[in-house]
Amino acid sequence: MDNGSVKRVTEAYLVDALSFTEAEARIIKQQTPYISGDFTIPAIKRTNIAEIFPDDTADKWWLVKYNTITIDEKTAKERRTPVYVMVQANTQQGATDRFNDGMKGTMADFEIEKVAETKIIDVYPLHL
């Protein structure tokens, strides 16, 4: 803090990993240079994020929930399947625009259900 005292903070990160152990190791490696003193990882949770649309000029992460629309061949009824995507943008409209740009050329019909700002500080994709 400005007065020299240490303040405990909790931050959320999204890490693409094959296991909880790998996720913990990668976040420790990424964060160690920026943290003074001890730190803990209180929780690791599995997510259902299908894709990430990063933008290095933006500082916020948005969760876009969209539904793919298909027709059930037996009943001829519309079927909606939810899909979640993380989009980096400065504003909600920017996230919507970035998502739509990323989905150009997609053959499937879809509709955006929700665009919500997250508390995610940063995303660490898997580099194989």
Side-chain angles (χ1 to χ4, degrees), residues 102-113:
M103 295 297 285
K104 281 185 180 169
T106 301
M107 299 299 281
D109 291 332
F110 67 90
E111 65 182 5
I112 296 174
E113 183 174 318

Side-chain angles (χ1 to χ4, degrees), residues 1 28 30 35 38 47 64 68 76-77 89 93-94 110:
M1 304 223 10
I28 287 170
Q30 290 288 334
I35 297 174
D38 294 334
T47 66
V64 176
T68 59
K77 291 185 179 180
Q93 185 60 52
F110 67 90

Side-chain angles (χ1 to χ4, degrees), residues 8 24 42-43 55 64-65 77-78 80 83 119 121:
R8 181 174 288 257
E24 183 175 25
D55 179 356
V64 176
K65 178 183 179 185
K77 291 185 179 180
E78 277 190 358
R80 288 171 164 41
V83 181
K119 294 183 180 184
I121 301 295

Side-chain angles (χ1 to χ4, degrees), residues 16-36:
D16 188 4
L18 300 174
S19 68
F20 287 161
T21 304
E22 181 188 353
E24 183 175 25
R26 288 188 56 217
I27 200 68
I28 287 170
K29 182 179 178 184
Q30 290 288 334
Q31 292 303 307
T32 298
Y34 306 107
I35 297 174
S36 62

Side-chain angles (χ1 to χ4, degrees), residues 1-2 17 23 31 36-38 40 44 52-53 56 69 78 81 83 89 91-92 94 108 110 113 117-118 123:
M1 304 223 10
D2 290 338
Q31 292 303 307
S36 62
D38 294 334
T40 62
I44 298 176
I52 298 170
F53 296 136
D56 293 335
I69 303 168
E78 277 190 358
T81 305
V83 181
T91 65
Q92 186 177 33
F110 67 90
E113 183 174 318
E117 186 176 353
T118 69
V123 173

Side-chain angles (χ1 to χ4, degrees), residues 37-76:
D38 294 334
F39 68 94
T40 62
I41 299 173
I44 298 176
K45 298 176 186 173
R46 212 177 284 277
T47 66
N48 53 359
I49 305 297
E51 199 167 348
I52 298 170
F53 296 136
D55 179 356
D56 293 335
T57 64
D59 61 350
K60 295 179 184 177
W61 285 95
W62 302 80
L63 181 67
V64 176
K65 178 183 179 185
Y66 72 95
N67 296 306
T68 59
I69 303 168
T70 56
I71 304 293
D72 187 315
E73 291 180 20
K74 293 179 183 178
T75 63

